[in-house]
Structure formats: C-alpha cells, structure tokens
Amino acid sequence: MNSSNSLPMVKQTIKSLKSAVSCGAVSVGLTLALSVVPAVSMGQTTDSFVLVTVQLNLKPGKVEPLSKEVLENALKETRRFEGLIGLEVYAEQGADTILIVEKWKSRAHNEKYREWRKTSGFGPMVAPYVTGPSVVRYFDPRPE
C-alpha cells in the first residue's frame, strides 16, 4: 500500500487525539514530527486490532537528537516485528514529548514485542534522552 492510503487514518487519529485533549482525557497537543512510512497502512482494515500509544517524556531539547540518533533505526526493527500493522511518530507542540502510535493485530503481539525490547538494548539507548519510564496505553476500536 502506498502512504497516501494512510492519510485518512492519520487525520482521524489526530482528530481523535485532539478531541481527547480538548476533553482533558489526554494531555498532549500533537504535530507530526517525523516522516515515517508505516509497515502497512494504518488505514488497513482488519477483523480486530489494538491501538497502542507510547509516550516518551524527554529531557529539554532532546526531541530531535532522540529522533535522529535512536528512533530512526529502532523503529526499523519495530516495523519488522510480527503483528505490527502500522506505526506513526508525533512530537508535542511546545514540549519535549514524543508519542508513538502503533497499530497491532493484538495486545499479545505488542506484549511479545515489548518483552523483546527489554532485551534488545533499547532501554540503555533511550535512557540519556528521557526523564522516566514510557507511558504505554492500549485502545480498542469503537464504532463511530
């Protein structure tokens, strides 16, 4: 699939997140930070999936260095992991926060990936950039 097929999903994701922000449910205002090509279009239809958000709270001025020095290569590995449908990266406007939005075939696929990440050396690579542990949230799709 080409990246233009994912545009409606990106717009819907941003719209949903902005709505959550305005309701106070999520405390991030987002803007697209990195140009990423999803493993498969985020808009791909599946019987079921789970949307996972990973929030990285960064030290001041570390958004760009983390993006270029760590995430660029690390996310290539993530995109090859079994069960990943798509992945997008955002940076909060006016703050040092990265939000990774992932679409997985199931929570079990993501949990297997997260266990692998614990042994992949990712933690020590990210440690100099972050202020604490990442915040991971799981979302199920709902009819509109």
Side-chain angles (χ1 to χ4, degrees):
M1 297 190 141
N2 67 40
S3 61
S4 65
N5 291 339
S6 66
L7 187 57
M9 183 60 182
V10 171
K11 288 181 179 179
Q12 182 60 40
T13 300
I14 292 170
K15 181 178 176 184
S16 297
L17 289 169
K18 285 181 178 178
S19 176
V21 168
S22 67
C23 295
V26 178
S27 61
V28 292
L30 303 172
T31 186
L32 187 58
L34 301 174
S35 176
V36 294
V37 178
V40 177
S41 170
M42 288 286 282
Q44 174 183 345
T45 57
T46 60
D47 292 330
S48 67
F49 66 90
V50 63
L51 191 72
V52 181
T53 62
V54 180
Q55 181 177 322
L56 301 172
N57 298 308
L58 307 178
K59 295 174 183 173
K62 295 295 185 182
V63 170
E64 289 305 316
L66 175 72
S67 299
K68 291 178 183 172
E69 297 166 14
V70 177
L71 291 182
E72 193 172 294
N73 289 323
L75 295 180
K76 288 177 186 175
E77 295 172 332
T78 302
R79 287 187 181 90
R80 290 191 296 264
F81 208 87
E82 181 182 352
L84 180 69
I85 297 170
L87 174 136
E88 298 170 347
V89 181
Y90 299 86
E92 184 174 4
Q93 295 179 0
D96 294 300
T97 304
I98 293 280
L99 184 71
I100 303 170
V101 180
E102 306 167 343
K103 188 174 181 181
W104 291 87
K105 289 181 180 179
S106 70
R107 184 172 180 149
H109 281 96
N110 178 260
E111 288 173 347
K112 183 177 179 182
Y113 162 76
R114 293 189 62 72
E115 284 302 313
W116 170 78
R117 265 293 173 215
K118 289 178 184 177
T119 63
S120 72
F122 185 71
M125 283 190 298
V126 172
Y129 301 91
V130 297
T131 61
S134 59
V135 179
V136 179
R137 295 180 182 96
Y138 293 89
F139 297 87
D140 292 319
R142 293 285 178 243
E144 293 184 24

